Amino acid sequence: MLVLLPPSEGKAASGRGAPLKLESLSLPQLAEARAAVLDELVELCAADEDKAREVLGLSEGLRGEIAKNTELRTAGARPAGEIYTGVLYDALDLASLETAAKRRAGRSLLVFSGLWGAVRVTDRIPSYRCSMGVRLPGLGALGGHWRTPMAAALPEAAGDGLVLDLRSSAYASAWKPKGELAGRTATVRVLHAPTRKVVSHFNKATKGKIVRGLLSDGAAPKGPAELVEALRDLGYVVEVEPPVKAGTAWTLDVLVTEVH
């Protein structure tokens, strides 16, 4: 099973250890594209703070994020699972997983990123600020920048198993499974049961709890139908929308009245 996660906007501070080694990151097919984004982002932030803030869509109060980006090559790196924070990652709580579940997390979780493309939670990265919605002056829209290298890397990472896609729409723009792979991909929406609307906190927290539950339970669904059963075994109310045609993903609606 491969689980696709969005990053968090806010991130923990960089570490005090060795700095980033691009060549050590997972999915080496993305190396050239990563280097291109890293080079332009560092140059932009070092050259013109106001322009960088405009390009990155940052408020005046987040001006300090620009300085952080100028130090990406020298700042200490930490496992990505420690860098990403926020509601989803608080609910997932990787640090408290038992050893076997942590190993499963290292194998199965893939976090999408405007800067790195996608990284495993064990990959060591510095703290940064660069969302997938950014349009860099030289490279253009990052969603488009990542599509070609992702098309080469992600099918190999998925192998022949289930893909559980929990990304937000901005990060989904960087890669969409096609053909046979799409048929074993499931996207999940978390809906507030009384209103049947997406509520941000419910959505993020429940997705984190879902991933934690699957990892802790040792669940290994082979496809979307088996995933539905695994989620129901974990106590979730799940409604299923199978693909209307070949080559499209399944949609699973998880209904909640409160955070699970």
Side-chain angles (χ1 to χ4, degrees):
M1 177 174 65
L2 184 67
V3 182
L4 310 181
L5 297 173
S8 57
E9 284 296 316
K11 298 171 183 70
S14 295
R16 297 182 178 179
L20 169 74
K21 293 183 179 179
L22 272 179
E23 67 278 9
S24 72
L25 299 181
S26 303
L27 307 181
Q29 302 95 322
L30 304 181
E32 184 176 344
R34 285 169 175 150
V37 180
L38 178 63
D39 288 346
E40 184 170 355
L41 182 62
V42 171
E43 182 178 349
L44 170 70
C45 292
D48 188 332
E49 188 173 286
D50 289 329
K51 182 177 180 180
R53 189 166 64 84
E54 179 183 351
V55 168
L56 296 177
L58 300 179
S59 67
E60 178 65 32
L62 293 174
R63 185 177 286 271
E65 300 290 279
I66 305 301
K68 183 164 67 176
N69 281 349
T70 67
E71 301 172 349
L72 287 171
R73 293 193 183 91
T74 57
R78 298 169 63 181
E82 298 177 11
I83 289 289
Y84 295 115
T85 59
V87 175
L88 188 154
Y89 291 91
D90 286 347
L92 174 54
D93 195 7
L94 285 168
S96 70
L97 288 173
E98 294 183 355
T99 301
K102 284 182 180 178
R103 286 198 295 266
R104 286 190 284 271
R107 293 193 301 266
S108 63
L109 304 188
L110 203 59
V111 184
F112 272 59
S113 162
L115 174 53
W116 315 115
V119 291
R120 298 196 183 277
V121 292
T122 51
D123 286 331
R124 298 181 65 84
I125 59 173
S127 186
Y128 68 96
R129 192 71 175 231
C130 183
S131 72
M132 191 65 79
V134 164
R135 179 182 292 272
L136 291 175
L139 293 176
L142 291 180
H145 171 75
W146 286 112
R147 282 186 199 121
T148 296
M150 287 286 193
L154 267 293
E156 181 179 330
D160 59 1
L162 167 74
V163 176
L164 173 54
D165 190 352
L166 302 178
R167 297 172 296 168
S168 57
S169 58
Y171 290 90
S173 71
W175 179 70
K176 181 179 291 187
K178 297 179 179 179
E180 181 272 336
L181 179 54
R184 49 188 166 86
T185 297
T187 62
V188 171
R189 297 187 305 176
V190 178
L191 304 181
H192 184 223
T195 63
R196 302 192 71 82
K197 293 181 179 179
V198 175
V199 179
S200 179
H201 183 83
F202 282 149
N203 181 53
K204 293 176 181 178
T206 303
K207 285 179 177 177
K209 292 290 187 182
I210 283 172
V211 176
R212 182 180 178 87
L214 292 171
L215 293 172
S216 297
D217 202 47
K222 299 298 184 183
E226 292 88 345
L227 173 63
V228 172
E229 294 308 310
L231 292 178
R232 287 173 175 165
D233 288 345
L234 289 171
Y236 292 97
V237 177
V238 184
E239 294 181 353
V240 187
E241 187 177 322
V244 295
K245 60 180 180 180
T248 55
W250 291 50
T251 299
L252 310 184
D253 287 342
V254 174
L255 305 182
V256 298
T257 53
E258 58 185 15
V259 176
H260 235 276

